[in-house]
Amino acid sequence: MLNLKNFINYVEKRNPNESEFLQAVTEVVEDIIPFLNENYPEYETLKILERLAEPERVVSFRVAWLDDSNTVQVNRGYRVQMNSAIGPYKGGLRFAPDVNLSILKFLAFEQVFKNALTSLPIGGGKGGSDFDPKGKSDNEIMRFCQSFMTELYRHIGAETDVPAGDIGVGTREIGFLFGQYKRIQNNFTGVLTGKGVNWGGSYIRPEATGYGLLYFVACIYDYIDQNLEGKTVCISGAGNVAFYAAEKAIALGAKVITLSNSSGTLYDEDGFTHEKLTYIATLGRNIDKFTEKYKSSSFHAGEKPWQFKCDIALPCATQNELNGDDAKKLIENGCKCVAEGANMPSTAEAITVFHAAKVFFAPGKAANAGGVAVSGLEMSQNSIGQQWTSAKVDTRLKAIMENIHKTCLRYGKEESGYINYLKGANIGGFVKVAEAMKSQGIV
Ligand code: NDP
Ligand code: 2IT
C-alpha cells in the first residue's frame, strides 16, 4: 500500500526548496493515493507516481541579449518536459521576474493532468524565463525572444513539444518566437500555439481560457438548476484570462465588480460593461485611472479583491493569490462558487476552507483547461492545413468544458452528494495518463 506521508517526504527530499512543486504534487496525491490503493494496486510496483513526479527532461539555458542602451543583459531560460505519455509536451511559456524551476515544475505537473482532461492527445510541459517584460520596448522584447528561441528551437517541434503563452507571453511574443524558429529551421510549422489568426493561429485562442472558465462555471450552476443571471462575480487579474472571463460572465448575465493587478484592485459597484472593459484595455497596467472616468468605481491600492461580497470568485492572476483568510472572508460574505482561471491560485489552506464550507471549488486543471484545449485545436488545424470558423472552435471549446465537468462528476461525487471537483479532476486526469504509461512500459 502506498503511504501518503512517505510519498510526500520522498518528493520533498528529491526536490529541496521547491515549495510550489511540492504543493502541486501534494494537492494531487492526496486524492490519487487512496484511489490507487483501492483500484490500481499494481501501480505501486510500476512506480507510476514516482515517475509522474519526475520530469522526463528539464533544460535550462543562458539567454543573453542587448537592451536599448546597448547594455548586455543575461537571463535564464527553461523548458520542463514533464510527461509525454499521451502526446507531445504542451504548455505555456511564462516571462516574469519570479520564474524559477519550482514554479515551472509545478505548472508542468498541473499541465499533465489538465491536458489529459481535455481528452486531446497532448502531454504536459511548461517553460519560460526570469525576464521581466514590464517597461521593455518592443525591440527589447523582440531581441529577448530571438535569443531565447535560438536555444529553445533544438528542444521543441510540432510533434515533440509545442509551447504557447502564459503570464507575460501573448500574441506579440509568440510572433517574435515563431519568426525566429522559422528563420533557424526554414520550416513553417505548428511549433507554437497562440499564433496570429492570419499566420496559422486559431480563432478564439485569445478568448479560450476565460470563455472556457465561464462555460465550466455555467455547467456547475446548470447542475443545480440555476444560471449566472444576476450573480455577482469578483475577478482577480486584468490580463488575458481575467479580461475574457469578465467579458463572458457579463454576456451570461452576471455582474462583474472587480478586476485587479499587482498594484491593487479596481472595484465598480455598478458592475463592468462591455464598453468599460474596452476602456480598461486601453489603460494598460494603469487600471487605477478608470476611477477618473467612472464615479461608481474605486481603486484599492495594494489590496486583493476577496474582501468584496460576491456569489462567485474567479482568481485569474497567479499562484497562491488567495489564502486561508481570503477564503474565510469570501465564505462569510456568502460566496458559493470559486473557479480558478489561474494555475494554483488557492493555497492549500484556502482549499480546506472551501471544502469544509461545501462551496463549489473548481480547480484550475479543470476550470482553466479551455486555453490549452483550443491550443490543441490549433495544432489540429495546423496539421491539416485548415482554419476553422470562430463558431466551430467555440462550439468545440464548450463541448470540451462540458466533458471535463462530466469527468469531475464521475470521479468527484461524494456519498453526501457534494461534488469534490478537485478530486474528480485529479483522478480523471490521472487515470488516462497512468494507463498510457503502463501500456508503454518502464520508460
Ligand atoms: P497575463 O500576463 O495576461 O496577465 C496576468 C495578470 O495577473 C496581470 O493583470 C498581472 O498584473 C496579474 N498578476 C501577475 N502576477 C501577479 C502577482 N504576483 N500579484 C498580483 N497580480 C499578478 O497572464 P494570463 O492572463 O495569461 O495568466 C493569468 C493566470 O492564468 C496564470 O496563472 C496563468 O498560468 C493562467 N493560465 C493562463 C492561460 C492562458 O491561456 N494564457 C491558460 C490557463 C491558465 P501585473 O500586470 O500588475 O503584473
Ligand atoms: O496554463 C495553461 O494551460 C496555459 N498557459 C496554456 C497552455 C497552452 O499550451 O495553450
Side-chain angles (χ1 to χ4, degrees), residues 94 98 107 114 126 134 165-169 205 209 237-242 260-263 285 316-319 341-343 368 371-372:
R94 177 176 292 191
D98 65 351
L107 288 162
K114 182 195 307 192
K126 202 86 186 190
K134 280 178 195 153
D166 194 79
I167 292 178
V169 178
R205 177 61 190 89
T209 314
N240 172 268
V241 179
S260 72
N261 64 18
S262 50
S263 64
R285 297 194 55 252
C316 297
T318 193
Q319 65 276 356
N343 288 305
N368 74 33
V372 75

Side-chain angles (χ1 to χ4, degrees), residues 146-169:
Q146 290 177 340
S147 183
F148 182 83
M149 184 53 86
T150 301
E151 173 60 31
L152 185 69
Y153 88 94
R154 66 187 90 244
H155 308 290
I156 63 175
E159 281 160 3
T160 307
D161 184 353
V162 184
D166 194 79
I167 292 178
V169 178

Side-chain angles (χ1 to χ4, degrees), residues 241-255:
V241 179
F243 196 82
Y244 289 106
E247 194 180 76
K248 186 56 84 177
I250 295 164
L252 294 175
K255 179 176 170 185

Side-chain angles (χ1 to χ4, degrees), residues 312-353:
I312 300 168
L314 305 175
C316 297
T318 193
Q319 65 276 356
N320 292 327
E321 56 163 315
L322 197 165
N323 63 27
D325 290 339
D326 299 324
K328 283 182 200 146
K329 187 85 202 155
L330 282 168
I331 307 275
E332 266 167 43
N333 281 334
C335 177
K336 292 281 180 296
C337 173
V338 181
E340 298 184 330
N343 288 305
M344 208 170 72
S346 311
T347 63
E349 292 74 28
I351 296 173
T352 304
V353 172

Side-chain angles (χ1 to χ4, degrees), residues 10 25 44 62 77 104 108 239 251 345 353 374 390 420-421 423 430:
Y10 159 87
V25 172
E44 184 180 358
R62 182 177 68 210
L104 295 180
V353 172
V374 173
S390 294
N420 183 331
Y421 283 94
K423 184 172 163 191
F430 170 80

Side-chain angles (χ1 to χ4, degrees), residues 189-206:
T189 178
V191 68
L192 292 158
T193 60
K195 301 184 290 299
V197 288
N198 56 357
W199 45 276
S202 175
Y203 286 108
I204 306 289
R205 177 61 190 89

Side-chain angles (χ1 to χ4, degrees), residues 95-109:
F95 292 169
D98 65 351
V99 160
N100 59 37
L101 205 49
S102 172
I103 290 178
L104 295 180
K105 279 169 70 180
F106 115 64
L107 288 162
F109 185 78

